[in-house]
Amino acid sequence: MLRYLNQLSRGRGAWLLLALTALALELTALWFQHVMGLQPCVMCIYERCALFGVMGAGIAGAIAPNTPLRWAALLLWIYSAVEGLRLSWEHTMIQLHPNPFTTCDFAARFPTWLPLDKWLPAVFVAGGDCAERSWMFLSLSMPQWMIVVFAAYLIVALAVLIAQPFKPKRRDLFSR
């Protein structure tokens, strides 16, 4: 299985699948925001950024899967999954244990060199409350589902990382 994961990481298909899953989740978040009218909170915006990191890793890996760029994409994938998992966990704790002294910011804080909330306000401007549970599915809130998503991304990324030293077997029809 590790050889198979190594082989997949050297092709474009798996990287494109990674990017497409993150894109589907981003589009779902935008559908919740703009169609259903659920305003994202600051933590939701940061979780979106982590998803964009996973999507960027998928695009970078698909560009050149047989070069060292694959390693950069894999590291970006792991970093984004870890950060997304951390943010989702923190967001879930705010929702499950509301405290007037532990709240999220009023607006997302982006670096001055990357003002995403100014460039794309329809995607990166927060208007909701982090402690509010406005959507539930199978008794889990949205940040709890994002814990599941980012944990899955992280598990797969670590499996792909572990598989990197296991080169695929060369199958030659005429050799012994």
Side-chain angles (χ1 to χ4, degrees), residues 18 54 74 77-83 85-86 147-161:
L18 176 67
V54 172
L74 187 55
W77 180 10
I78 291 170
Y79 174 75
S80 297
V82 166
E83 278 300 302
L85 187 59
R86 182 188 65 78
I147 288 174
V148 172
V149 167
F150 283 119
Y153 276 142
L154 183 59
I155 289 168
V156 173
L158 291 176
V160 171
L161 178 67

PDB file of all heavy atoms in Angstrom, residues 18 54 74 77-83 85-86 147-161:
ATOM      1  N   LEU A  18      -7.142  16.062  -4.567  1.00  0.00           N
ATOM      2  CA  LEU A  18      -6.981  16.822  -3.319  1.00  0.00           C
ATOM      3  C   LEU A  18      -7.470  18.255  -3.510  1.00  0.00           C
ATOM      4  O   LEU A  18      -8.241  18.772  -2.691  1.00  0.00           O
ATOM      5  CB  LEU A  18      -5.512  16.811  -2.891  1.00  0.00           C
ATOM      6  CG  LEU A  18      -5.167  17.647  -1.655  1.00  0.00           C
ATOM      7  CD1 LEU A  18      -5.816  17.057  -0.410  1.00  0.00           C
ATOM      8  CD2 LEU A  18      -3.657  17.733  -1.498  1.00  0.00           C
ATOM      9  N   VAL A  54      -4.793  23.772   1.644  1.00  0.00           N
ATOM     10  CA  VAL A  54      -4.877  22.401   1.134  1.00  0.00           C
ATOM     11  C   VAL A  54      -5.089  22.424  -0.380  1.00  0.00           C
ATOM     12  O   VAL A  54      -4.465  21.657  -1.120  1.00  0.00           O
ATOM     13  CB  VAL A  54      -6.005  21.613   1.844  1.00  0.00           C
ATOM     14  CG1 VAL A  54      -6.226  20.260   1.189  1.00  0.00           C
ATOM     15  CG2 VAL A  54      -5.682  21.438   3.326  1.00  0.00           C
ATOM     16  N   LEU A  74       3.570  18.682  -0.353  1.00  0.00           N
ATOM     17  CA  LEU A  74       3.260  17.780   0.758  1.00  0.00           C
ATOM     18  C   LEU A  74       3.406  18.496   2.099  1.00  0.00           C
ATOM     19  O   LEU A  74       2.561  18.344   2.990  1.00  0.00           O
ATOM     20  CB  LEU A  74       4.159  16.553   0.691  1.00  0.00           C
ATOM     21  CG  LEU A  74       3.880  15.421   1.652  1.00  0.00           C
ATOM     22  CD1 LEU A  74       2.439  14.939   1.555  1.00  0.00           C
ATOM     23  CD2 LEU A  74       4.829  14.268   1.390  1.00  0.00           C
ATOM     24  N   TRP A  77       0.493  20.846   2.497  1.00  0.00           N
ATOM     25  CA  TRP A  77      -0.689  20.037   2.790  1.00  0.00           C
ATOM     26  C   TRP A  77      -0.728  19.691   4.281  1.00  0.00           C
ATOM     27  O   TRP A  77      -1.745  19.881   4.949  1.00  0.00           O
ATOM     28  CB  TRP A  77      -0.653  18.794   1.923  1.00  0.00           C
ATOM     29  CG  TRP A  77      -1.782  17.825   2.056  1.00  0.00           C
ATOM     30  CD1 TRP A  77      -2.953  17.996   2.739  1.00  0.00           C
ATOM     31  CD2 TRP A  77      -1.853  16.544   1.470  1.00  0.00           C
ATOM     32  NE1 TRP A  77      -3.743  16.877   2.611  1.00  0.00           N
ATOM     33  CE2 TRP A  77      -3.089  15.975   1.830  1.00  0.00           C
ATOM     34  CE3 TRP A  77      -0.990  15.803   0.666  1.00  0.00           C
ATOM     35  CZ2 TRP A  77      -3.475  14.703   1.425  1.00  0.00           C
ATOM     36  CZ3 TRP A  77      -1.374  14.543   0.256  1.00  0.00           C
ATOM     37  CH2 TRP A  77      -2.615  14.003   0.628  1.00  0.00           C
ATOM     38  N   ILE A  78       0.389  19.204   4.809  1.00  0.00           N
ATOM     39  CA  ILE A  78       0.444  18.822   6.222  1.00  0.00           C
ATOM     40  C   ILE A  78       0.252  20.052   7.109  1.00  0.00           C
ATOM     41  O   ILE A  78      -0.527  20.025   8.069  1.00  0.00           O
ATOM     42  CB  ILE A  78       1.768  18.103   6.537  1.00  0.00           C
ATOM     43  CG1 ILE A  78       1.776  16.730   5.853  1.00  0.00           C
ATOM     44  CG2 ILE A  78       1.976  17.963   8.041  1.00  0.00           C
ATOM     45  CD1 ILE A  78       3.112  16.030   5.899  1.00  0.00           C
ATOM     46  N   TYR A  79       0.953  21.141   6.796  1.00  0.00           N
ATOM     47  CA  TYR A  79       0.828  22.360   7.599  1.00  0.00           C
ATOM     48  C   TYR A  79      -0.612  22.876   7.595  1.00  0.00           C
ATOM     49  O   TYR A  79      -1.152  23.230   8.649  1.00  0.00           O
ATOM     50  CB  TYR A  79       1.792  23.435   7.080  1.00  0.00           C
ATOM     51  CG  TYR A  79       1.615  24.757   7.770  1.00  0.00           C
ATOM     52  CD1 TYR A  79       2.075  24.952   9.072  1.00  0.00           C
ATOM     53  CD2 TYR A  79       0.968  25.810   7.143  1.00  0.00           C
ATOM     54  CE1 TYR A  79       1.900  26.166   9.719  1.00  0.00           C
ATOM     55  CE2 TYR A  79       0.784  27.024   7.782  1.00  0.00           C
ATOM     56  CZ  TYR A  79       1.255  27.192   9.070  1.00  0.00           C
ATOM     57  OH  TYR A  79       1.063  28.391   9.702  1.00  0.00           O
ATOM     58  N   SER A  80      -1.240  22.923   6.424  1.00  0.00           N
ATOM     59  CA  SER A  80      -2.604  23.426   6.324  1.00  0.00           C
ATOM     60  C   SER A  80      -3.582  22.517   7.067  1.00  0.00           C
ATOM     61  O   SER A  80      -4.506  23.004   7.726  1.00  0.00           O
ATOM     62  CB  SER A  80      -3.017  23.542   4.854  1.00  0.00           C
ATOM     63  OG  SER A  80      -2.209  24.470   4.190  1.00  0.00           O
ATOM     64  N   ALA A  81      -3.377  21.209   6.983  1.00  0.00           N
ATOM     65  CA  ALA A  81      -4.261  20.281   7.693  1.00  0.00           C
ATOM     66  C   ALA A  81      -4.102  20.423   9.208  1.00  0.00           C
ATOM     67  O   ALA A  81      -5.094  20.406   9.945  1.00  0.00           O
ATOM     68  CB  ALA A  81      -3.981  18.845   7.253  1.00  0.00           C
ATOM     69  N   VAL A  82      -2.875  20.578   9.674  1.00  0.00           N
ATOM     70  CA  VAL A  82      -2.636  20.749  11.113  1.00  0.00           C
ATOM     71  C   VAL A  82      -3.253  22.053  11.600  1.00  0.00           C
ATOM     72  O   VAL A  82      -3.944  22.092  12.633  1.00  0.00           O
ATOM     73  CB  VAL A  82      -1.122  20.688  11.429  1.00  0.00           C
ATOM     74  CG1 VAL A  82      -0.821  21.194  12.825  1.00  0.00           C
ATOM     75  CG2 VAL A  82      -0.605  19.272  11.255  1.00  0.00           C
ATOM     76  N   GLU A  83      -3.028  23.140  10.872  1.00  0.00           N
ATOM     77  CA  GLU A  83      -3.601  24.426  11.267  1.00  0.00           C
ATOM     78  C   GLU A  83      -5.129  24.393  11.212  1.00  0.00           C
ATOM     79  O   GLU A  83      -5.800  24.932  12.089  1.00  0.00           O
ATOM     80  CB  GLU A  83      -3.066  25.558  10.376  1.00  0.00           C
ATOM     81  CG  GLU A  83      -1.714  26.055  10.798  1.00  0.00           C
ATOM     82  CD  GLU A  83      -1.711  26.608  12.203  1.00  0.00           C
ATOM     83  OE1 GLU A  83      -2.471  27.551  12.498  1.00  0.00           O
ATOM     84  OE2 GLU A  83      -0.934  26.098  13.025  1.00  0.00           O
ATOM     85  N   LEU A  85      -7.016  21.778  11.585  1.00  0.00           N
ATOM     86  CA  LEU A  85      -7.460  20.947  12.705  1.00  0.00           C
ATOM     87  C   LEU A  85      -7.394  21.732  14.013  1.00  0.00           C
ATOM     88  O   LEU A  85      -8.335  21.703  14.816  1.00  0.00           O
ATOM     89  CB  LEU A  85      -6.591  19.689  12.781  1.00  0.00           C
ATOM     90  CG  LEU A  85      -6.993  18.613  13.766  1.00  0.00           C
ATOM     91  CD1 LEU A  85      -8.399  18.110  13.482  1.00  0.00           C
ATOM     92  CD2 LEU A  85      -5.995  17.462  13.708  1.00  0.00           C
ATOM     93  N   ARG A  86      -6.321  22.482  14.208  1.00  0.00           N
ATOM     94  CA  ARG A  86      -6.178  23.296  15.419  1.00  0.00           C
ATOM     95  C   ARG A  86      -7.275  24.361  15.491  1.00  0.00           C
ATOM     96  O   ARG A  86      -7.915  24.543  16.533  1.00  0.00           O
ATOM     97  CB  ARG A  86      -4.802  23.958  15.451  1.00  0.00           C
ATOM     98  CG  ARG A  86      -4.543  24.785  16.702  1.00  0.00           C
ATOM     99  CD  ARG A  86      -3.255  25.578  16.603  1.00  0.00           C
ATOM    100  NE  ARG A  86      -3.287  26.594  15.574  1.00  0.00           N
ATOM    101  CZ  ARG A  86      -3.909  27.774  15.696  1.00  0.00           C
ATOM    102  NH1 ARG A  86      -4.562  28.069  16.801  1.00  0.00           N
ATOM    103  NH2 ARG A  86      -3.880  28.649  14.706  1.00  0.00           N
ATOM    104  N   ILE A 147     -13.364  19.400  11.915  1.00  0.00           N
ATOM    105  CA  ILE A 147     -12.376  18.568  12.609  1.00  0.00           C
ATOM    106  C   ILE A 147     -12.242  17.236  11.877  1.00  0.00           C
ATOM    107  O   ILE A 147     -11.127  16.763  11.630  1.00  0.00           O
ATOM    108  CB  ILE A 147     -12.777  18.347  14.084  1.00  0.00           C
ATOM    109  CG1 ILE A 147     -12.583  19.627  14.883  1.00  0.00           C
ATOM    110  CG2 ILE A 147     -11.965  17.207  14.706  1.00  0.00           C
ATOM    111  CD1 ILE A 147     -13.098  19.543  16.314  1.00  0.00           C
ATOM    112  N   VAL A 148     -13.370  16.653  11.505  1.00  0.00           N
ATOM    113  CA  VAL A 148     -13.354  15.383  10.773  1.00  0.00           C
ATOM    114  C   VAL A 148     -12.627  15.557   9.432  1.00  0.00           C
ATOM    115  O   VAL A 148     -11.777  14.740   9.060  1.00  0.00           O
ATOM    116  CB  VAL A 148     -14.793  14.863  10.561  1.00  0.00           C
ATOM    117  CG1 VAL A 148     -14.814  13.656   9.641  1.00  0.00           C
ATOM    118  CG2 VAL A 148     -15.455  14.549  11.896  1.00  0.00           C
ATOM    119  N   VAL A 149     -12.952  16.629   8.723  1.00  0.00           N
ATOM    120  CA  VAL A 149     -12.352  16.867   7.405  1.00  0.00           C
ATOM    121  C   VAL A 149     -10.841  17.065   7.518  1.00  0.00           C
ATOM    122  O   VAL A 149     -10.069  16.412   6.798  1.00  0.00           O
ATOM    123  CB  VAL A 149     -13.020  18.097   6.733  1.00  0.00           C
ATOM    124  CG1 VAL A 149     -12.226  18.575   5.532  1.00  0.00           C
ATOM    125  CG2 VAL A 149     -14.445  17.776   6.341  1.00  0.00           C
ATOM    126  N   PHE A 150     -10.407  17.947   8.418  1.00  0.00           N
ATOM    127  CA  PHE A 150      -8.976  18.216   8.536  1.00  0.00           C
ATOM    128  C   PHE A 150      -8.219  17.019   9.103  1.00  0.00           C
ATOM    129  O   PHE A 150      -7.064  16.792   8.723  1.00  0.00           O
ATOM    130  CB  PHE A 150      -8.725  19.468   9.373  1.00  0.00           C
ATOM    131  CG  PHE A 150      -8.992  20.741   8.626  1.00  0.00           C
ATOM    132  CD1 PHE A 150      -9.967  21.623   9.070  1.00  0.00           C
ATOM    133  CD2 PHE A 150      -8.286  21.070   7.487  1.00  0.00           C
ATOM    134  CE1 PHE A 150     -10.217  22.805   8.390  1.00  0.00           C
ATOM    135  CE2 PHE A 150      -8.534  22.243   6.798  1.00  0.00           C
ATOM    136  CZ  PHE A 150      -9.503  23.119   7.246  1.00  0.00           C
ATOM    137  N   ALA A 151      -8.851  16.234   9.980  1.00  0.00           N
ATOM    138  CA  ALA A 151      -8.199  15.019  10.479  1.00  0.00           C
ATOM    139  C   ALA A 151      -8.006  14.025   9.334  1.00  0.00           C
ATOM    140  O   ALA A 151      -6.944  13.389   9.227  1.00  0.00           O
ATOM    141  CB  ALA A 151      -9.020  14.401  11.605  1.00  0.00           C
ATOM    142  N   ALA A 152      -8.998  13.901   8.463  1.00  0.00           N
ATOM    143  CA  ALA A 152      -8.864  13.008   7.308  1.00  0.00           C
ATOM    144  C   ALA A 152      -7.754  13.495   6.377  1.00  0.00           C
ATOM    145  O   ALA A 152      -6.924  12.696   5.910  1.00  0.00           O
ATOM    146  CB  ALA A 152     -10.197  12.912   6.560  1.00  0.00           C
ATOM    147  N   TYR A 153      -7.724  14.802   6.111  1.00  0.00           N
ATOM    148  CA  TYR A 153      -6.644  15.353   5.284  1.00  0.00           C
ATOM    149  C   TYR A 153      -5.283  15.057   5.908  1.00  0.00           C
ATOM    150  O   TYR A 153      -4.335  14.684   5.213  1.00  0.00           O
ATOM    151  CB  TYR A 153      -6.794  16.869   5.132  1.00  0.00           C
ATOM    152  CG  TYR A 153      -7.729  17.327   4.048  1.00  0.00           C
ATOM    153  CD1 TYR A 153      -8.555  18.431   4.245  1.00  0.00           C
ATOM    154  CD2 TYR A 153      -7.784  16.704   2.802  1.00  0.00           C
ATOM    155  CE1 TYR A 153      -9.406  18.882   3.252  1.00  0.00           C
ATOM    156  CE2 TYR A 153      -8.637  17.144   1.811  1.00  0.00           C
ATOM    157  CZ  TYR A 153      -9.441  18.236   2.039  1.00  0.00           C
ATOM    158  OH  TYR A 153     -10.272  18.678   1.051  1.00  0.00           O
ATOM    159  N   LEU A 154      -5.175  15.220   7.222  1.00  0.00           N
ATOM    160  CA  LEU A 154      -3.897  15.012   7.901  1.00  0.00           C
ATOM    161  C   LEU A 154      -3.483  13.544   7.872  1.00  0.00           C
ATOM    162  O   LEU A 154      -2.314  13.226   7.612  1.00  0.00           O
ATOM    163  CB  LEU A 154      -3.970  15.525   9.343  1.00  0.00           C
ATOM    164  CG  LEU A 154      -2.679  15.444  10.149  1.00  0.00           C
ATOM    165  CD1 LEU A 154      -1.564  16.238   9.484  1.00  0.00           C
ATOM    166  CD2 LEU A 154      -2.912  15.932  11.563  1.00  0.00           C
ATOM    167  N   ILE A 155      -4.406  12.640   8.105  1.00  0.00           N
ATOM    168  CA  ILE A 155      -4.082  11.209   8.090  1.00  0.00           C
ATOM    169  C   ILE A 155      -3.584  10.785   6.711  1.00  0.00           C
ATOM    170  O   ILE A 155      -2.575  10.089   6.580  1.00  0.00           O
ATOM    171  CB  ILE A 155      -5.300  10.380   8.537  1.00  0.00           C
ATOM    172  CG1 ILE A 155      -5.550  10.572  10.030  1.00  0.00           C
ATOM    173  CG2 ILE A 155      -5.117   8.900   8.207  1.00  0.00           C
ATOM    174  CD1 ILE A 155      -6.882  10.044  10.521  1.00  0.00           C
ATOM    175  N   VAL A 156      -4.282  11.223   5.674  1.00  0.00           N
ATOM    176  CA  VAL A 156      -3.865  10.866   4.316  1.00  0.00           C
ATOM    177  C   VAL A 156      -2.514  11.506   3.995  1.00  0.00           C
ATOM    178  O   VAL A 156      -1.639  10.853   3.408  1.00  0.00           O
ATOM    179  CB  VAL A 156      -4.943  11.264   3.283  1.00  0.00           C
ATOM    180  CG1 VAL A 156      -4.449  11.045   1.869  1.00  0.00           C
ATOM    181  CG2 VAL A 156      -6.215  10.483   3.528  1.00  0.00           C
ATOM    182  N   ALA A 157      -2.310  12.757   4.383  1.00  0.00           N
ATOM    183  CA  ALA A 157      -1.039  13.431   4.112  1.00  0.00           C
ATOM    184  C   ALA A 157       0.120  12.730   4.816  1.00  0.00           C
ATOM    185  O   ALA A 157       1.192  12.548   4.227  1.00  0.00           O
ATOM    186  CB  ALA A 157      -1.113  14.889   4.550  1.00  0.00           C
ATOM    187  N   LEU A 158      -0.088  12.315   6.052  1.00  0.00           N
ATOM    188  CA  LEU A 158       0.977  11.612   6.771  1.00  0.00           C
ATOM    189  C   LEU A 158       1.250  10.243   6.154  1.00  0.00           C
ATOM    190  O   LEU A 158       2.405   9.816   6.081  1.00  0.00           O
ATOM    191  CB  LEU A 158       0.615  11.480   8.256  1.00  0.00           C
ATOM    192  CG  LEU A 158       0.619  12.793   9.030  1.00  0.00           C
ATOM    193  CD1 LEU A 158       0.147  12.577  10.464  1.00  0.00           C
ATOM    194  CD2 LEU A 158       1.998  13.448   9.004  1.00  0.00           C
ATOM    195  N   ALA A 159       0.217   9.570   5.683  1.00  0.00           N
ATOM    196  CA  ALA A 159       0.416   8.284   4.997  1.00  0.00           C
ATOM    197  C   ALA A 159       1.218   8.486   3.711  1.00  0.00           C
ATOM    198  O   ALA A 159       2.124   7.696   3.408  1.00  0.00           O
ATOM    199  CB  ALA A 159      -0.929   7.631   4.697  1.00  0.00           C
ATOM    200  N   VAL A 160       0.924   9.534   2.974  1.00  0.00           N
ATOM    201  CA  VAL A 160       1.683   9.829   1.751  1.00  0.00           C
ATOM    202  C   VAL A 160       3.123  10.190   2.097  1.00  0.00           C
ATOM    203  O   VAL A 160       4.056   9.760   1.411  1.00  0.00           O
ATOM    204  CB  VAL A 160       0.990  10.947   0.940  1.00  0.00           C
ATOM    205  CG1 VAL A 160       1.872  11.425  -0.204  1.00  0.00           C
ATOM    206  CG2 VAL A 160      -0.348  10.467   0.404  1.00  0.00           C
ATOM    207  N   LEU A 161       3.337  10.938   3.171  1.00  0.00           N
ATOM    208  CA  LEU A 161       4.693  11.280   3.600  1.00  0.00           C
ATOM    209  C   LEU A 161       5.476  10.027   3.981  1.00  0.00           C
ATOM    210  O   LEU A 161       6.629   9.859   3.575  1.00  0.00           O
ATOM    211  CB  LEU A 161       4.647  12.260   4.776  1.00  0.00           C
ATOM    212  CG  LEU A 161       5.994  12.665   5.354  1.00  0.00           C
ATOM    213  CD1 LEU A 161       6.787  13.493   4.342  1.00  0.00           C
ATOM    214  CD2 LEU A 161       5.817  13.431   6.656  1.00  0.00           C
TER     215      LEU A 161
END
